Amino acid sequence: MAEVLEPDPGAAEGSEAPAVETPGWEVPEDAGPQPGSYEIRHYGPAKWVSTAVESMDWDSAMQTGFTRLNSYIQGKNEKEMKIKMTAPVTSYVEPGSGPFSLSMDSLVAKRIKNSS
């Protein structure tokens, strides 16, 4: 049987857990004001899962990468462990003339226990 997350001890009884788990972060003191389109953040230590895709088609590569990460968090991994959806999800494209190499990464949820 797949492992599942334990409830968040800080959640009110009977309330639903948040759909997406995010790591703690802070804005660096020296960041200064940023344009409205982004914010500089420093994240604490975390575990990540990553997949690599090579493709000539951006949409196809993004879909393949996301599907792989989603399958992993739904329990299709070496421990058959289900984990919460996490954010942020990052992607990086290796510069080149093609096919391009895409790396897609997601945080791994922290509160995990064995359900058996």
Side-chain angles (χ1 to χ4, degrees):
M1 175 168 233
E3 296 179 40
V4 295
L5 292 169
E6 64 185 55
D8 180 354
E13 193 155 329
S15 68
E16 290 293 318
V20 177
E21 184 169 300
T22 59
W25 58 272
E26 56 186 44
V27 175
E29 291 179 26
D30 61 346
Q34 304 300 317
S37 62
Y38 70 90
E39 178 176 61
I40 295 175
R41 295 179 177 182
H42 283 177
Y43 289 94
K47 293 188 180 203
W48 292 77
V49 62
S50 181
T51 188
V53 179
E54 284 196 17
S55 177
M56 292 296 284
D57 179 65
W58 171 260
D59 291 333
S60 175
M62 291 298 288
Q63 183 64 41
T64 298
F66 182 81
T67 299
R68 286 181 188 169
L69 291 177
N70 190 55
S71 292
Y72 184 91
I73 68 172
Q74 292 301 316
K76 292 183 180 175
N77 54 61
E78 59 277 355
K79 293 186 177 183
E80 296 183 346
M81 184 183 304
K82 291 184 180 182
I83 57 178
K84 282 186 180 180
M85 180 74 72
T86 58
V89 173
T90 65
S91 61
Y92 173 76
V93 176
E94 186 73 35
S97 60
F100 63 85
S101 295
L102 168 77
S103 174
M104 187 173 280
D105 314 288
S106 179
L107 285 167
V108 178
K110 297 174 282 193
R111 294 179 304 273
I112 300 171
K113 73 170 192 171
N114 192 323
S115 64
S116 53

